[in-house]
Structures are given as C-alpha cells and as structure tokens.
Amino acid sequence: DDYGIWRRVDDAATRGAVARAGAHVSLLESELGPGLPVVRWNERRFVDGGAGGERGELPPGTWEVLGSFPAAQLNEYTYLAETVADSTPAGVVYSVYCVTAHTTTPSVWYASEPDSGYSLDNIPPGVPSGFALEYHAPGGNELTWEVCPDEDFQYFAIYRGESEEFEASPGTRVHMTIDTSWLDEDGTGWHHYKITAFDHAGNESGPASPESITGVDEEAEPAGFALHQNVPNPFNPATTIRYDVPSGGGRVSLRVYDVAGRLVRTLLDGIEPAGRRSVSWDGTDEEGRRAPSGLYFYRLGARGHVESRAMLLLK
C-alpha cells in the first residue's frame, strides 16, 4: 500500500531531545497508517526501534521518518533522502536508513535491514564577480570584488602571474582572505591577477579575471632601477625574478647567494635595455647541480643601485 523512508538518529543531543519531548502519539493521521507510536519534536517525527505492529518492527535505535510514497507495483523505486551532513576531505559522514512497507492492514507492515550512505559536497562556489584592478605602481596594485553569496563560502584565493593566460595554481597563489579587497604592495604594472572562491569542503570556483582595469600604463618605462619579489615564493623547482631598468638602460647584474654569502648562481651580467624585465632561476648552481632547500638571497647591481631580496627554495 505504502512505503516509508527512515533515517536513524545518531546524534546524542537529538536523541535526548526526542526522549524529553513527551508521550508518544499514535500516527492515526499519518500517511503510514496507524499503529506506530510517534514522538513529535521540532516539527519532526521519530519512532524508537522495536516499536511496531503485528509483524513490523524497526531496527534498534531512534528513527526519523523522512517521507512516504504509495506502492505502484514497480520492480524498483527511487527516493531522494537527505543526509545529516556532507562528507569532506576531512572525513566521511555516514547516514543510516531503512525502508518500511505497509499493507492495507495498518498493523501489518515490514521493515528492511538498515543500510548506510553518504553525500559528498563537490559543488564549487560561484565564480567571484565585480573584480576590479587598479594599478598604483610603484606603490602596489589594489584589487576589489564582490561578496560571495554561497552559504558555505570560506575564503577567496588571489593569484598573480606574468601574463593574462597564466594558470591559477598553488604555485601562483599569493594571498588568501575573507575580505573583498586586497592591496598587493609588491605588485607592479606588469602583474596580472585572478581570483577564486573556496567553500568549507575545499571546492574551488573557476577563476575570475578583472572586469575593469585602471591605473598606470603597463608599457611605461620604469623611473629607476628596482628589484621585485620573486614569484612564486616559496618555490619548487623554479621561480621568476622581476626587475626594472629605467630609460637608457645600462649594465645590470643579478646574482643568487646562500645564507653564508657564497655565490650560487649568476643569472645575468650584461647590458640591459629599458623596461620591466624578468629572469628565471631553476634552483641550480653554476655547475647545473640542484641547490639544497633553504633560504637564498638575490642581489641586483646597476649603476648607483644595489638591492637585495630573500627567497625560499623548498623540496
């Protein structure tokens, strides 16, 4: 006549609240028929395991009725039953269910053996919207965007690359925040950005590129020599170092040293034209051997200008 869908209550607090809810009330008006002593609590209905009629008996435990539907003499039925919580990379959360079959005689019904299942939150948040980028070189670049409307939102991730086509990946991630703005103090006119949103299950949205860009001309010549922070940092196996050469160009050297001040690698030493330039270091020394993990310093030398920064090689 009818089928009922039940979920076992494994939460101790809910079981306690149900036990304190008062006397059982017969489900005479229920779509499942009479004979089941039900506790009503918080607009929900519960039955203790072992309660039943002439033949039916629920498995041990406290069970919540999720719904019912009429029998239609089909070989197979499908019902979408909610889980207690989504499983995440931190662990799987199982929910236990059973099905009851009710005959035209209310006191004659049958209960299945319990079985379990789980749901997995694999739906990412929406792509961030309203992303605006304002260049303030050499003072930095200001990024703003809109609030994420997803209820399970956790944080935004900001990525910085060397071209518009760069990939948003852990190696290019430079900042994480719950705010809707960020000033990249190390940003210059040749940096490009993307933003994604993460939820509590670790799902990441697609990347958003700036919808509007204002500020300095990316092609303008730098006003002076400058050395910028390498990206990514920390890095493995390679990183990119950006530097500025002003109008007229000049001889420029860029060398990598270990913490003891020993030369590890000369990345460049020669005449450089004006512009915003870059060079990569693959983590090897002058002999092509892999440098050990640790802290390194890179130093830019040019006419009247010496500047150093630190970077971390990880393996």
Side-chain angles (χ1 to χ4, degrees):
D1 187 46
D2 292 285
Y3 291 101
I5 310 298
W6 304 80
R7 182 179 60 212
R8 194 176 69 193
V9 179
D10 294 326
D11 175 59
T14 302
R15 289 201 308 269
V18 171
R20 296 188 298 269
H24 290 75
V25 179
S26 179
L27 260 184
L28 291 175
E29 75 282 12
S30 168
E31 66 275 16
L32 299 177
L36 286 175
V38 169
V39 171
R40 295 183 180 276
W41 173 75
N42 199 24
E43 304 299 325
R44 297 157 65 184
R45 298 172 295 174
F46 302 86
V47 172
D48 286 330
E54 185 176 307
R55 299 184 183 180
E57 183 174 299
L58 285 168
T62 300
W63 296 84
E64 179 179 5
V65 58
L66 301 181
S68 67
F69 54 89
Q73 298 183 351
L74 300 177
N75 292 328
E76 185 176 286
Y77 295 87
T78 300
Y79 184 88
L80 181 62
E82 292 183 356
T83 55
V84 175
D86 282 322
S87 297
T88 69
V92 176
V93 182
Y94 285 95
S95 295
V96 180
Y97 304 89
C98 76
V99 178
T100 56
H102 300 260
T103 70
T104 54
T105 302
S107 61
V108 179
W109 55 278
Y110 304 88
S112 72
E113 292 294 325
D115 203 352
S116 62
Y118 64 91
S119 61
L120 183 65
D121 181 1
N122 56 5
I123 301 175
V127 176
S129 59
F131 181 17
L133 170 60
E134 183 174 0
Y135 287 101
H136 289 292
N141 301 325
E142 184 176 9
L143 291 70
T144 59
W145 56 92
E146 296 179 358
V147 172
C148 178
D150 295 79
E151 293 182 359
D152 58 350
F153 163 77
Q154 188 175 30
Y155 63 87
F156 295 104
I158 302 173
Y159 301 86
R160 184 175 64 198
E162 305 168 18
S163 68
E164 293 183 2
E165 295 76 24
F166 83 95
E167 181 181 357
S169 65
T172 58
R173 187 183 304 165
V174 292
H175 190 63
M176 294 181 292
T177 181
I178 62 172
D179 297 326
T180 56
S181 65
W182 180 58
L183 178 63
D184 182 9
E185 296 180 350
D186 291 323
T188 64
W190 38 258
H191 277 135
H192 299 266
Y193 298 87
K194 295 179 182 179
I195 298 177
T196 65
F198 278 81
D199 64 19
H200 287 278
N203 298 307
E204 183 178 15
S205 74
S209 296
E211 299 175 19
S212 66
I213 299 176
T214 57
V216 301
D217 180 0
E218 295 185 51
E219 302 302 323
E221 288 187 350
F225 289 103
L227 181 63
H228 303 281
Q229 189 63 51
N230 63 301
V231 177
N233 185 44
F235 68 95
N236 179 21
T239 189
T240 298
I241 300 171
R242 292 282 189 174
Y243 58 97
D244 296 345
V245 180
S247 178
R251 188 173 190 87
V252 178
S253 66
L254 184 58
R255 295 182 171 89
V256 178
Y257 299 86
D258 63 17
V259 291
R262 295 184 292 258
L263 176 66
V264 176
R265 181 78 177 270
T266 297
L267 299 179
L268 63 93
D269 187 5
I271 302 298
E272 291 286 304
R276 307 180 191 279
R277 319 196 67 77
S278 68
V279 64
S280 295
W281 183 42
D282 61 2
T284 62
D285 63 14
E286 298 282 29
E287 305 299 325
R289 297 169 298 197
R290 293 293 301 170
S293 298
L295 184 67
Y296 293 85
F297 297 91
Y298 56 102
R299 184 171 67 190
L300 176 74
R303 62 176 188 271
H305 185 94
V306 177
E307 186 176 357
S308 297
R309 287 180 179 261
M311 57 183 169
L312 183 62
L313 171 60
L314 297 180
K315 292 185 180 179

PDB file of all heavy atoms in Angstrom, residues 177-210:
ATOM      1  N   THR A 177      42.053  35.461   1.670  1.00  0.00           N
ATOM      2  CA  THR A 177      41.368  36.413   2.529  1.00  0.00           C
ATOM      3  C   THR A 177      39.868  36.172   2.503  1.00  0.00           C
ATOM      4  O   THR A 177      39.340  35.604   1.546  1.00  0.00           O
ATOM      5  CB  THR A 177      41.654  37.856   2.067  1.00  0.00           C
ATOM      6  OG1 THR A 177      40.984  38.781   2.929  1.00  0.00           O
ATOM      7  CG2 THR A 177      41.179  38.079   0.633  1.00  0.00           C
ATOM      8  N   ILE A 178      39.183  36.602   3.562  1.00  0.00           N
ATOM      9  CA  ILE A 178      37.720  36.593   3.571  1.00  0.00           C
ATOM     10  C   ILE A 178      37.169  37.964   3.197  1.00  0.00           C
ATOM     11  O   ILE A 178      35.959  38.132   3.062  1.00  0.00           O
ATOM     12  CB  ILE A 178      37.165  36.162   4.950  1.00  0.00           C
ATOM     13  CG1 ILE A 178      37.584  37.159   6.045  1.00  0.00           C
ATOM     14  CG2 ILE A 178      37.609  34.757   5.296  1.00  0.00           C
ATOM     15  CD1 ILE A 178      36.925  36.904   7.383  1.00  0.00           C
ATOM     16  N   ASP A 179      38.060  38.938   3.043  1.00  0.00           N
ATOM     17  CA  ASP A 179      37.649  40.299   2.681  1.00  0.00           C
ATOM     18  C   ASP A 179      37.362  40.389   1.182  1.00  0.00           C
ATOM     19  O   ASP A 179      37.587  39.446   0.422  1.00  0.00           O
ATOM     20  CB  ASP A 179      38.725  41.300   3.073  1.00  0.00           C
ATOM     21  CG  ASP A 179      38.951  41.345   4.577  1.00  0.00           C
ATOM     22  OD1 ASP A 179      37.979  41.159   5.322  1.00  0.00           O
ATOM     23  OD2 ASP A 179      40.112  41.548   4.997  1.00  0.00           O
ATOM     24  N   THR A 180      36.897  41.549   0.764  1.00  0.00           N
ATOM     25  CA  THR A 180      36.583  41.772  -0.653  1.00  0.00           C
ATOM     26  C   THR A 180      37.526  42.804  -1.279  1.00  0.00           C
ATOM     27  O   THR A 180      37.167  43.454  -2.257  1.00  0.00           O
ATOM     28  CB  THR A 180      35.128  42.228  -0.821  1.00  0.00           C
ATOM     29  OG1 THR A 180      34.904  43.407  -0.015  1.00  0.00           O
ATOM     30  CG2 THR A 180      34.166  41.122  -0.400  1.00  0.00           C
ATOM     31  N   SER A 181      38.702  42.945  -0.700  1.00  0.00           N
ATOM     32  CA  SER A 181      39.714  43.829  -1.300  1.00  0.00           C
ATOM     33  C   SER A 181      41.083  43.416  -0.783  1.00  0.00           C
ATOM     34  O   SER A 181      41.201  42.784   0.272  1.00  0.00           O
ATOM     35  CB  SER A 181      39.442  45.298  -0.953  1.00  0.00           C
ATOM     36  OG  SER A 181      39.578  45.514   0.446  1.00  0.00           O
ATOM     37  N   TRP A 182      42.109  43.773  -1.557  1.00  0.00           N
ATOM     38  CA  TRP A 182      43.490  43.492  -1.148  1.00  0.00           C
ATOM     39  C   TRP A 182      44.422  44.419  -1.904  1.00  0.00           C
ATOM     40  O   TRP A 182      44.258  44.644  -3.104  1.00  0.00           O
ATOM     41  CB  TRP A 182      43.865  42.044  -1.447  1.00  0.00           C
ATOM     42  CG  TRP A 182      45.264  41.688  -1.047  1.00  0.00           C
ATOM     43  CD1 TRP A 182      45.816  41.788   0.199  1.00  0.00           C
ATOM     44  CD2 TRP A 182      46.298  41.188  -1.899  1.00  0.00           C
ATOM     45  NE1 TRP A 182      47.131  41.362   0.180  1.00  0.00           N
ATOM     46  CE2 TRP A 182      47.452  40.991  -1.086  1.00  0.00           C
ATOM     47  CE3 TRP A 182      46.362  40.866  -3.254  1.00  0.00           C
ATOM     48  CZ2 TRP A 182      48.644  40.499  -1.599  1.00  0.00           C
ATOM     49  CZ3 TRP A 182      47.549  40.382  -3.767  1.00  0.00           C
ATOM     50  CH2 TRP A 182      48.680  40.197  -2.950  1.00  0.00           C
ATOM     51  N   LEU A 183      45.388  44.978  -1.183  1.00  0.00           N
ATOM     52  CA  LEU A 183      46.430  45.811  -1.796  1.00  0.00           C
ATOM     53  C   LEU A 183      47.693  44.983  -1.903  1.00  0.00           C
ATOM     54  O   LEU A 183      48.288  44.588  -0.890  1.00  0.00           O
ATOM     55  CB  LEU A 183      46.688  47.064  -0.960  1.00  0.00           C
ATOM     56  CG  LEU A 183      47.807  47.979  -1.484  1.00  0.00           C
ATOM     57  CD1 LEU A 183      47.453  48.532  -2.855  1.00  0.00           C
ATOM     58  CD2 LEU A 183      48.090  49.097  -0.489  1.00  0.00           C
ATOM     59  N   ASP A 184      48.105  44.701  -3.120  1.00  0.00           N
ATOM     60  CA  ASP A 184      49.342  43.969  -3.372  1.00  0.00           C
ATOM     61  C   ASP A 184      50.489  44.974  -3.397  1.00  0.00           C
ATOM     62  O   ASP A 184      50.744  45.610  -4.418  1.00  0.00           O
ATOM     63  CB  ASP A 184      49.243  43.203  -4.691  1.00  0.00           C
ATOM     64  CG  ASP A 184      50.490  42.387  -4.976  1.00  0.00           C
ATOM     65  OD1 ASP A 184      51.353  42.291  -4.077  1.00  0.00           O
ATOM     66  OD2 ASP A 184      50.598  41.844  -6.094  1.00  0.00           O
ATOM     67  N   GLU A 185      51.169  45.104  -2.274  1.00  0.00           N
ATOM     68  CA  GLU A 185      52.229  46.105  -2.160  1.00  0.00           C
ATOM     69  C   GLU A 185      53.435  45.772  -3.041  1.00  0.00           C
ATOM     70  O   GLU A 185      54.239  46.650  -3.346  1.00  0.00           O
ATOM     71  CB  GLU A 185      52.655  46.238  -0.696  1.00  0.00           C
ATOM     72  CG  GLU A 185      51.540  46.771   0.205  1.00  0.00           C
ATOM     73  CD  GLU A 185      51.983  46.900   1.645  1.00  0.00           C
ATOM     74  OE1 GLU A 185      53.085  46.398   1.978  1.00  0.00           O
ATOM     75  OE2 GLU A 185      51.239  47.494   2.443  1.00  0.00           O
ATOM     76  N   ASP A 186      53.577  44.492  -3.404  1.00  0.00           N
ATOM     77  CA  ASP A 186      54.688  44.105  -4.275  1.00  0.00           C
ATOM     78  C   ASP A 186      54.285  44.115  -5.753  1.00  0.00           C
ATOM     79  O   ASP A 186      55.102  43.807  -6.623  1.00  0.00           O
ATOM     80  CB  ASP A 186      55.186  42.697  -3.913  1.00  0.00           C
ATOM     81  CG  ASP A 186      55.866  42.673  -2.560  1.00  0.00           C
ATOM     82  OD1 ASP A 186      56.558  43.655  -2.240  1.00  0.00           O
ATOM     83  OD2 ASP A 186      55.700  41.685  -1.824  1.00  0.00           O
ATOM     84  N   GLY A 187      53.036  44.457  -6.023  1.00  0.00           N
ATOM     85  CA  GLY A 187      52.551  44.431  -7.397  1.00  0.00           C
ATOM     86  C   GLY A 187      53.087  45.581  -8.226  1.00  0.00           C
ATOM     87  O   GLY A 187      53.317  46.681  -7.732  1.00  0.00           O
ATOM     88  N   THR A 188      53.284  45.309  -9.508  1.00  0.00           N
ATOM     89  CA  THR A 188      53.727  46.338 -10.442  1.00  0.00           C
ATOM     90  C   THR A 188      52.828  46.301 -11.672  1.00  0.00           C
ATOM     91  O   THR A 188      51.908  45.481 -11.773  1.00  0.00           O
ATOM     92  CB  THR A 188      55.188  46.120 -10.856  1.00  0.00           C
ATOM     93  OG1 THR A 188      55.280  44.891 -11.574  1.00  0.00           O
ATOM     94  CG2 THR A 188      56.101  46.078  -9.646  1.00  0.00           C
ATOM     95  N   GLY A 189      53.128  47.173 -12.623  1.00  0.00           N
ATOM     96  CA  GLY A 189      52.276  47.307 -13.791  1.00  0.00           C
ATOM     97  C   GLY A 189      52.285  46.117 -14.727  1.00  0.00           C
ATOM     98  O   GLY A 189      51.437  46.031 -15.610  1.00  0.00           O
ATOM     99  N   TRP A 190      53.232  45.188 -14.561  1.00  0.00           N
ATOM    100  CA  TRP A 190      53.265  44.037 -15.449  1.00  0.00           C
ATOM    101  C   TRP A 190      52.661  42.790 -14.811  1.00  0.00           C
ATOM    102  O   TRP A 190      52.697  41.707 -15.379  1.00  0.00           O
ATOM    103  CB  TRP A 190      54.699  43.737 -15.909  1.00  0.00           C
ATOM    104  CG  TRP A 190      55.765  43.935 -14.870  1.00  0.00           C
ATOM    105  CD1 TRP A 190      56.616  44.979 -14.761  1.00  0.00           C
ATOM    106  CD2 TRP A 190      56.094  43.044 -13.799  1.00  0.00           C
ATOM    107  NE1 TRP A 190      57.463  44.812 -13.683  1.00  0.00           N
ATOM    108  CE2 TRP A 190      57.164  43.629 -13.079  1.00  0.00           C
ATOM    109  CE3 TRP A 190      55.595  41.822 -13.365  1.00  0.00           C
ATOM    110  CZ2 TRP A 190      57.734  43.046 -11.948  1.00  0.00           C
ATOM    111  CZ3 TRP A 190      56.164  41.216 -12.245  1.00  0.00           C
ATOM    112  CH2 TRP A 190      57.219  41.838 -11.561  1.00  0.00           C
ATOM    113  N   HIS A 191      52.102  42.908 -13.618  1.00  0.00           N
ATOM    114  CA  HIS A 191      51.469  41.762 -12.978  1.00  0.00           C
ATOM    115  C   HIS A 191      50.022  41.598 -13.450  1.00  0.00           C
ATOM    116  O   HIS A 191      49.321  42.587 -13.709  1.00  0.00           O
ATOM    117  CB  HIS A 191      51.476  41.922 -11.455  1.00  0.00           C
ATOM    118  CG  HIS A 191      52.766  41.508 -10.823  1.00  0.00           C
ATOM    119  ND1 HIS A 191      53.401  42.251  -9.860  1.00  0.00           N
ATOM    120  CD2 HIS A 191      53.546  40.412 -11.029  1.00  0.00           C
ATOM    121  CE1 HIS A 191      54.519  41.634  -9.495  1.00  0.00           C
ATOM    122  NE2 HIS A 191      54.624  40.530 -10.186  1.00  0.00           N
ATOM    123  N   HIS A 192      49.579  40.343 -13.528  1.00  0.00           N
ATOM    124  CA  HIS A 192      48.197  40.001 -13.855  1.00  0.00           C
ATOM    125  C   HIS A 192      47.623  39.173 -12.708  1.00  0.00           C
ATOM    126  O   HIS A 192      48.368  38.483 -12.002  1.00  0.00           O
ATOM    127  CB  HIS A 192      48.130  39.212 -15.158  1.00  0.00           C
ATOM    128  CG  HIS A 192      48.657  39.961 -16.341  1.00  0.00           C
ATOM    129  ND1 HIS A 192      47.846  40.700 -17.178  1.00  0.00           N
ATOM    130  CD2 HIS A 192      49.929  40.112 -16.814  1.00  0.00           C
ATOM    131  CE1 HIS A 192      48.593  41.262 -18.121  1.00  0.00           C
ATOM    132  NE2 HIS A 192      49.849  40.924 -17.927  1.00  0.00           N
ATOM    133  N   TYR A 193      46.289  39.233 -12.541  1.00  0.00           N
ATOM    134  CA  TYR A 193      45.673  38.621 -11.367  1.00  0.00           C
ATOM    135  C   TYR A 193      44.433  37.813 -11.739  1.00  0.00           C
ATOM    136  O   TYR A 193      43.746  38.104 -12.724  1.00  0.00           O
ATOM    137  CB  TYR A 193      45.258  39.695 -10.351  1.00  0.00           C
ATOM    138  CG  TYR A 193      46.400  40.508  -9.808  1.00  0.00           C
ATOM    139  CD1 TYR A 193      46.849  41.643 -10.473  1.00  0.00           C
ATOM    140  CD2 TYR A 193      47.031  40.137  -8.630  1.00  0.00           C
ATOM    141  CE1 TYR A 193      47.905  42.398  -9.980  1.00  0.00           C
ATOM    142  CE2 TYR A 193      48.085  40.887  -8.121  1.00  0.00           C
ATOM    143  CZ  TYR A 193      48.518  42.005  -8.798  1.00  0.00           C
ATOM    144  OH  TYR A 193      49.565  42.747  -8.305  1.00  0.00           O
ATOM    145  N   LYS A 194      44.158  36.812 -10.901  1.00  0.00           N
ATOM    146  CA  LYS A 194      42.916  36.052 -10.960  1.00  0.00           C
ATOM    147  C   LYS A 194      42.461  35.765  -9.523  1.00  0.00           C
ATOM    148  O   LYS A 194      43.287  35.695  -8.611  1.00  0.00           O
ATOM    149  CB  LYS A 194      43.109  34.742 -11.728  1.00  0.00           C
ATOM    150  CG  LYS A 194      43.436  34.945 -13.203  1.00  0.00           C
ATOM    151  CD  LYS A 194      43.643  33.628 -13.930  1.00  0.00           C
ATOM    152  CE  LYS A 194      44.023  33.891 -15.396  1.00  0.00           C
ATOM    153  NZ  LYS A 194      44.251  32.617 -16.139  1.00  0.00           N
ATOM    154  N   ILE A 195      41.145  35.602  -9.344  1.00  0.00           N
ATOM    155  CA  ILE A 195      40.576  35.352  -8.013  1.00  0.00           C
ATOM    156  C   ILE A 195      39.634  34.159  -8.086  1.00  0.00           C
ATOM    157  O   ILE A 195      38.873  34.029  -9.049  1.00  0.00           O
ATOM    158  CB  ILE A 195      39.815  36.585  -7.486  1.00  0.00           C
ATOM    159  CG1 ILE A 195      40.762  37.769  -7.329  1.00  0.00           C
ATOM    160  CG2 ILE A 195      39.164  36.284  -6.145  1.00  0.00           C
ATOM    161  CD1 ILE A 195      40.056  39.039  -6.881  1.00  0.00           C
ATOM    162  N   THR A 196      39.688  33.289  -7.068  1.00  0.00           N
ATOM    163  CA  THR A 196      38.739  32.180  -6.947  1.00  0.00           C
ATOM    164  C   THR A 196      38.132  32.205  -5.553  1.00  0.00           C
ATOM    165  O   THR A 196      38.629  32.885  -4.645  1.00  0.00           O
ATOM    166  CB  THR A 196      39.414  30.820  -7.179  1.00  0.00           C
ATOM    167  OG1 THR A 196      40.382  30.594  -6.136  1.00  0.00           O
ATOM    168  CG2 THR A 196      40.106  30.758  -8.531  1.00  0.00           C
ATOM    169  N   ALA A 197      37.051  31.437  -5.364  1.00  0.00           N
ATOM    170  CA  ALA A 197      36.405  31.290  -4.058  1.00  0.00           C
ATOM    171  C   ALA A 197      36.465  29.830  -3.634  1.00  0.00           C
ATOM    172  O   ALA A 197      36.292  28.925  -4.451  1.00  0.00           O
ATOM    173  CB  ALA A 197      34.952  31.763  -4.112  1.00  0.00           C
ATOM    174  N   PHE A 198      36.710  29.591  -2.351  1.00  0.00           N
ATOM    175  CA  PHE A 198      36.726  28.254  -1.767  1.00  0.00           C
ATOM    176  C   PHE A 198      35.558  28.102  -0.795  1.00  0.00           C
ATOM    177  O   PHE A 198      35.170  29.070  -0.118  1.00  0.00           O
ATOM    178  CB  PHE A 198      38.025  28.003  -0.997  1.00  0.00           C
ATOM    179  CG  PHE A 198      39.188  27.586  -1.857  1.00  0.00           C
ATOM    180  CD1 PHE A 198      39.927  28.537  -2.544  1.00  0.00           C
ATOM    181  CD2 PHE A 198      39.536  26.256  -1.964  1.00  0.00           C
ATOM    182  CE1 PHE A 198      41.014  28.165  -3.328  1.00  0.00           C
ATOM    183  CE2 PHE A 198      40.622  25.866  -2.750  1.00  0.00           C
ATOM    184  CZ  PHE A 198      41.351  26.822  -3.434  1.00  0.00           C
ATOM    185  N   ASP A 199      34.993  26.879  -0.709  1.00  0.00           N
ATOM    186  CA  ASP A 199      33.991  26.605   0.315  1.00  0.00           C
ATOM    187  C   ASP A 199      34.605  25.746   1.415  1.00  0.00           C
ATOM    188  O   ASP A 199      35.777  25.367   1.364  1.00  0.00           O
ATOM    189  CB  ASP A 199      32.738  25.956  -0.283  1.00  0.00           C
ATOM    190  CG  ASP A 199      33.004  24.579  -0.889  1.00  0.00           C
ATOM    191  OD1 ASP A 199      34.032  23.958  -0.548  1.00  0.00           O
ATOM    192  OD2 ASP A 199      32.164  24.125  -1.688  1.00  0.00           O
ATOM    193  N   HIS A 200      33.794  25.409   2.443  1.00  0.00           N
ATOM    194  CA  HIS A 200      34.303  24.677   3.596  1.00  0.00           C
ATOM    195  C   HIS A 200      34.691  23.248   3.250  1.00  0.00           C
ATOM    196  O   HIS A 200      35.407  22.602   4.027  1.00  0.00           O
ATOM    197  CB  HIS A 200      33.264  24.698   4.717  1.00  0.00           C
ATOM    198  CG  HIS A 200      33.151  26.028   5.394  1.00  0.00           C
ATOM    199  ND1 HIS A 200      34.025  26.428   6.390  1.00  0.00           N
ATOM    200  CD2 HIS A 200      32.297  27.065   5.214  1.00  0.00           C
ATOM    201  CE1 HIS A 200      33.703  27.639   6.797  1.00  0.00           C
ATOM    202  NE2 HIS A 200      32.666  28.058   6.108  1.00  0.00           N
ATOM    203  N   ALA A 201      34.220  22.726   2.130  1.00  0.00           N
ATOM    204  CA  ALA A 201      34.582  21.374   1.719  1.00  0.00           C
ATOM    205  C   ALA A 201      35.850  21.350   0.878  1.00  0.00           C
ATOM    206  O   ALA A 201      36.287  20.291   0.442  1.00  0.00           O
ATOM    207  CB  ALA A 201      33.427  20.728   0.949  1.00  0.00           C
ATOM    208  N   GLY A 202      36.434  22.516   0.630  1.00  0.00           N
ATOM    209  CA  GLY A 202      37.650  22.578  -0.168  1.00  0.00           C
ATOM    210  C   GLY A 202      37.410  22.710  -1.658  1.00  0.00           C
ATOM    211  O   GLY A 202      38.361  22.666  -2.444  1.00  0.00           O
ATOM    212  N   ASN A 203      36.151  22.893  -2.082  1.00  0.00           N
ATOM    213  CA  ASN A 203      35.856  23.085  -3.500  1.00  0.00           C
ATOM    214  C   ASN A 203      36.247  24.503  -3.918  1.00  0.00           C
ATOM    215  O   ASN A 203      35.982  25.463  -3.194  1.00  0.00           O
ATOM    216  CB  ASN A 203      34.372  22.860  -3.782  1.00  0.00           C
ATOM    217  CG  ASN A 203      33.945  21.439  -3.462  1.00  0.00           C
ATOM    218  OD1 ASN A 203      34.538  20.482  -3.932  1.00  0.00           O
ATOM    219  ND2 ASN A 203      32.900  21.305  -2.653  1.00  0.00           N
ATOM    220  N   GLU A 204      36.849  24.625  -5.091  1.00  0.00           N
ATOM    221  CA  GLU A 204      37.296  25.923  -5.585  1.00  0.00           C
ATOM    222  C   GLU A 204      36.532  26.308  -6.842  1.00  0.00           C
ATOM    223  O   GLU A 204      36.327  25.478  -7.733  1.00  0.00           O
ATOM    224  CB  GLU A 204      38.789  25.892  -5.900  1.00  0.00           C
ATOM    225  CG  GLU A 204      39.363  27.221  -6.344  1.00  0.00           C
ATOM    226  CD  GLU A 204      40.861  27.175  -6.606  1.00  0.00           C
ATOM    227  OE1 GLU A 204      41.399  26.055  -6.722  1.00  0.00           O
ATOM    228  OE2 GLU A 204      41.483  28.241  -6.696  1.00  0.00           O
ATOM    229  N   SER A 205      36.114  27.549  -6.897  1.00  0.00           N
ATOM    230  CA  SER A 205      35.402  28.046  -8.067  1.00  0.00           C
ATOM    231  C   SER A 205      36.352  28.201  -9.241  1.00  0.00           C
ATOM    232  O   SER A 205      37.577  28.093  -9.104  1.00  0.00           O
ATOM    233  CB  SER A 205      34.756  29.400  -7.760  1.00  0.00           C
ATOM    234  OG  SER A 205      35.751  30.424  -7.707  1.00  0.00           O
ATOM    235  N   GLY A 206      35.794  28.489 -10.405  1.00  0.00           N
ATOM    236  CA  GLY A 206      36.616  28.873 -11.532  1.00  0.00           C
ATOM    237  C   GLY A 206      37.238  30.232 -11.280  1.00  0.00           C
ATOM    238  O   GLY A 206      36.768  30.996 -10.432  1.00  0.00           O
ATOM    239  N   PRO A 207      38.315  30.576 -11.994  1.00  0.00           N
ATOM    240  CA  PRO A 207      38.993  31.849 -11.755  1.00  0.00           C
ATOM    241  C   PRO A 207      38.276  33.023 -12.415  1.00  0.00           C
ATOM    242  O   PRO A 207      37.742  32.902 -13.518  1.00  0.00           O
ATOM    243  CB  PRO A 207      40.370  31.629 -12.376  1.00  0.00           C
ATOM    244  CG  PRO A 207      40.135  30.627 -13.464  1.00  0.00           C
ATOM    245  CD  PRO A 207      39.036  29.734 -12.973  1.00  0.00           C
ATOM    246  N   ALA A 208      38.278  34.139 -11.721  1.00  0.00           N
ATOM    247  CA  ALA A 208      37.744  35.384 -12.270  1.00  0.00           C
ATOM    248  C   ALA A 208      38.897  36.287 -12.669  1.00  0.00           C
ATOM    249  O   ALA A 208      39.854  36.463 -11.903  1.00  0.00           O
ATOM    250  CB  ALA A 208      36.866  36.092 -11.243  1.00  0.00           C
ATOM    251  N   SER A 209      38.834  36.853 -13.847  1.00  0.00           N
ATOM    252  CA  SER A 209      39.788  37.854 -14.302  1.00  0.00           C
ATOM    253  C   SER A 209      39.185  39.242 -14.124  1.00  0.00           C
ATOM    254  O   SER A 209      37.956  39.367 -13.999  1.00  0.00           O
ATOM    255  CB  SER A 209      40.151  37.614 -15.772  1.00  0.00           C
ATOM    256  OG  SER A 209      40.809  36.368 -15.938  1.00  0.00           O
ATOM    257  N   PRO A 210      40.001  40.287 -14.075  1.00  0.00           N
ATOM    258  CA  PRO A 210      39.452  41.628 -13.843  1.00  0.00           C
ATOM    259  C   PRO A 210      38.411  42.021 -14.890  1.00  0.00           C
ATOM    260  O   PRO A 210      38.617  41.818 -16.087  1.00  0.00           O
ATOM    261  CB  PRO A 210      40.684  42.524 -13.927  1.00  0.00           C
ATOM    262  CG  PRO A 210      41.829  41.634 -13.594  1.00  0.00           C
ATOM    263  CD  PRO A 210      41.468  40.296 -14.160  1.00  0.00           C
TER     264      PRO A 210
END
